[in-house]
Amino acid sequence: MKVNPTYFAIETLLRNIIIDESVKLDQYIYFFLEKIWDRMGIENPQNFQWDCMRSFYSLTFYLVNGIKIPNNWKKFTGIFFSKKELKKFDMNLVDTAMDKLKLNGSKVKQIFNEMDWVDFDKLHMTYNILGIDRFNKIENKYFYEYYSNNEFGHPIEDNKMGRFFECFYDQDTQYQRNRMSTPLTSKEKDRILDLIKYFYGHNKWSIFLDHLDMKRDLIKLGEDVKFKFTNISSFNLEHEELSRLLQSYRKGEVERFYGDIDGLETPMEHKYETYYPVLLRKTMDYEKESQHQRNCVRSYSERPDCLIFSIRKGSIDSDERITVEYQYRKNEILNVQERAKFNETPSVEFSHIAKIQLANINLMYKLGTLKLPKMIKKYRSGKEIEQQATFDNEKNVNGSKIISMVPHWDTYTPELSYWQNEILGFDMPAYDNLFDELP
């Protein structure tokens, strides 16, 4: 009987039959693979190196099966093909991988052979989106697999080996096929190529993919969408516009009202600097703030329990700013979180201004000038829905009266979904870190 266990099958088996907890799992796997090398007399004349058990397993698999691998082979860790696929190309791993992804050209072969690490998913999608001629104009380093604690939040060594690339697995490529099928004119492809250097890194690449998704979705809705950006600034602006247009189909455009509170946007002086509090009222306000600050404040536009200020230093349009969430309670308003760009902690000076603003807000709230939010939502169909925040939701649960800590909307729309809900029959706690949940 022939046995060809996968790395994960071996790992799972050993994890379930741990003999000595003082011995690390990798040591068991190393011992198992080393025995295979000894029993089968495996030779490594090219002195291929490995860095972890996953790469050692992959190297063992390649050598046992007589697969021809490039000198810089470790990027293929965890990527396997059937013998039928390999035999078509004389057991050459690079040629088999290119055929699997339907990629052609000396540039692709050079990348697969020579680069240490490759983001195969990104390369595959870029090739299909732009075509081989434009692809050949892109620097190889653009396809380098970018590992960073800042991007993934995990140590580099946890990511570098055994990365799962969806392009190699037919059952997992539907979302990639959808994106690659987005209709693009030659001019649009040229625009993408001109800005391709800005999409280096996981997060920036994801933003570009979102751009494609929005275009495809809007076309399905009957919109005639064409990419018109000419630089990264106009790309960001177009991204906002597409997001807002798509949002209008899904949920409508929002405008919020809080009573006669223009005084809360009065500039403040501190240490010879002027600070401008700007209240976010409309969908566009939330979109722009979210885009600028790289946070998820756009998802707060329909929250009934808060008001969001963007406090800006130097001018009303200043790039130097913080986003502050003030949250309603029955008898007061709290500052539950304040964030600088990329969710960084604000400076002491900005926090001081946020505290002064909190005092101004509470004064107007106690005087009755600042009201609970009222929201008017307008849909493209012309329909409008008005919602008023209220604390009037006392409930009796098992004979006990439950009083909400934060307000809720007096009416609900089918598509409205935010963290405060009634599923559990009681009120959810007020969270202090919701800006941190999304980039």
Side-chain angles (χ1 to χ4, degrees), residues 22-175:
S22 66
V23 180
K24 293 183 178 180
L25 185 62
D26 279 1
Q27 293 177 272
Y28 286 117
I29 298 176
Y30 177 80
F31 176 78
F32 175 80
L33 294 175
E34 198 175 41
K35 287 295 183 184
I36 292 177
W37 282 59
D38 292 342
R39 295 275 180 95
M40 298 187 69
I42 296 175
E43 296 183 356
N44 183 14
Q46 292 174 264
N47 194 30
F48 290 121
Q49 300 298 307
W50 47 274
D51 298 278
C52 68
M53 284 304 104
R54 289 182 181 180
S55 64
F56 188 27
Y57 170 86
S58 297
L59 180 60
T60 303
F61 179 91
Y62 297 146
L63 296 180
V64 165
N65 289 284
I67 298 171
K68 300 170 185 176
I69 58 178
N71 290 332
N72 291 330
W73 69 274
K74 286 181 285 188
K75 56 182 164 287
F76 288 101
T77 293
I79 298 173
F80 307 108
F81 304 102
S82 68
K83 282 193 175 181
K84 181 179 179 181
E85 292 173 310
L86 286 158
K87 284 179 178 178
K88 288 171 56 180
F89 300 94
D90 194 27
M91 305 301 284
N92 186 291
L93 182 63
V94 167
D95 291 345
T96 304
M98 289 179 63
D99 180 70
K100 179 74 172 181
L101 301 182
K102 296 181 173 56
L103 303 175
N104 298 302
S106 58
K107 181 180 180 69
V108 175
K109 180 165 286 192
Q110 179 193 30
I111 290 172
F112 280 22
N113 274 303
E114 298 179 7
M115 286 183 64
D116 292 331
W117 304 104
V118 176
D119 186 336
F120 291 104
D121 284 336
K122 185 176 186 179
L123 184 147
H124 178 238
M125 294 182 69
T126 303
Y127 181 100
N128 282 277
I129 290 167
L130 297 183
I132 187 170
D133 292 336
R134 292 180 180 84
F135 173 87
N136 286 337
K137 296 178 182 179
I138 301 172
E139 291 185 83
N140 289 357
K141 67 179 183 180
Y142 174 73
F143 304 107
Y144 187 80
E145 175 60 296
Y146 185 67
Y147 296 96
S148 164
N149 291 345
N150 293 333
E151 297 236 334
F152 292 96
H154 302 292
I156 290 175
E157 55 269 22
D158 288 351
N159 292 304
K160 213 160 193 176
M161 295 296 176
R163 164 80 185 275
F164 179 84
F165 292 103
E166 298 183 355
C167 59
F168 288 111
Y169 303 92
D170 294 336
Q171 68 272 25
D172 295 304
T173 58
Q174 184 59 49
Y175 91 97

Side-chain angles (χ1 to χ4, degrees), residues 209-391:
L209 294 181
D210 287 343
H211 213 70
L212 286 179
D213 289 342
M214 289 190 291
K215 174 183 170 73
R216 189 178 61 257
D217 290 344
L218 286 166
I219 287 174
K220 289 179 181 178
L221 292 167
E223 293 285 347
D224 182 19
V225 178
K226 294 286 191 299
F227 292 158
K228 299 178 181 178
F229 55 81
T230 56
N231 52 46
I232 194 61
S233 296
S234 57
F235 173 86
N236 288 334
L237 181 60
E238 183 176 279
H239 198 77
E240 293 175 21
E241 292 171 348
L242 293 180
S243 175
R244 192 162 58 252
L245 179 58
L246 190 58
Q247 189 80 347
S248 72
Y249 275 101
R250 291 174 174 168
K251 302 177 73 173
E253 294 274 342
V254 162
E255 185 170 6
R256 299 168 67 99
F257 302 88
Y258 301 90
D260 185 13
I261 58 166
D262 290 344
L264 289 179
E265 294 184 286
T266 301
M268 290 180 276
E269 300 289 332
H270 177 62
K271 291 186 176 180
Y272 307 105
E273 295 283 357
T274 305
Y275 294 82
Y276 297 80
V278 178
L279 177 61
L280 306 188
R281 303 170 189 262
K282 298 182 179 181
T283 298
M284 184 185 299
D285 300 334
Y286 285 86
E287 290 287 346
K288 287 186 174 181
E289 183 73 7
S290 189
Q291 179 74 16
H292 183 278
Q293 296 293 85
R294 297 296 191 269
N295 60 30
C296 68
V297 74
R298 59 166 56 91
S299 64
Y300 283 52
S301 64
E302 296 187 34
R303 288 269 298 271
D305 60 334
C306 64
L307 64 164
I308 307 292
F309 274 90
S310 174
I311 299 178
R312 304 167 185 183
K313 179 180 177 180
S315 75
I316 199 167
D317 297 316
S318 173
D319 289 337
E320 191 174 357
R321 63 178 70 174
I322 63 169
T323 310
V324 188
E325 178 194 359
Y326 297 103
Q327 196 173 89
Y328 285 89
R329 294 294 188 270
K330 189 79 171 181
N331 298 311
E332 64 175 333
I333 291 177
L334 306 178
N335 176 350
V336 296
Q337 60 175 325
E338 51 192 49
R339 296 286 184 267
K341 195 169 187 176
F342 300 116
N343 287 322
E344 295 289 337
T345 301
S347 66
V348 173
E349 288 75 18
F350 263 118
S351 290
H352 179 74
I353 295 299
K355 290 178 182 177
I356 295 175
Q357 183 70 351
L358 176 63
N360 294 335
I361 288 171
N362 270 300
L363 176 60
M364 283 200 172
Y365 189 45
K366 293 180 184 300
L367 292 174
T369 308
L370 172 61
K371 312 288 186 184
L372 290 176
K374 180 177 76 172
M375 183 173 72
I376 296 178
K377 193 186 308 182
K378 297 180 181 180
Y379 296 85
R380 291 181 66 83
S381 63
K383 180 180 179 182
E384 291 188 10
I385 292 179
E386 181 176 316
Q387 295 169 285
Q388 176 63 55
T390 178
F391 282 100

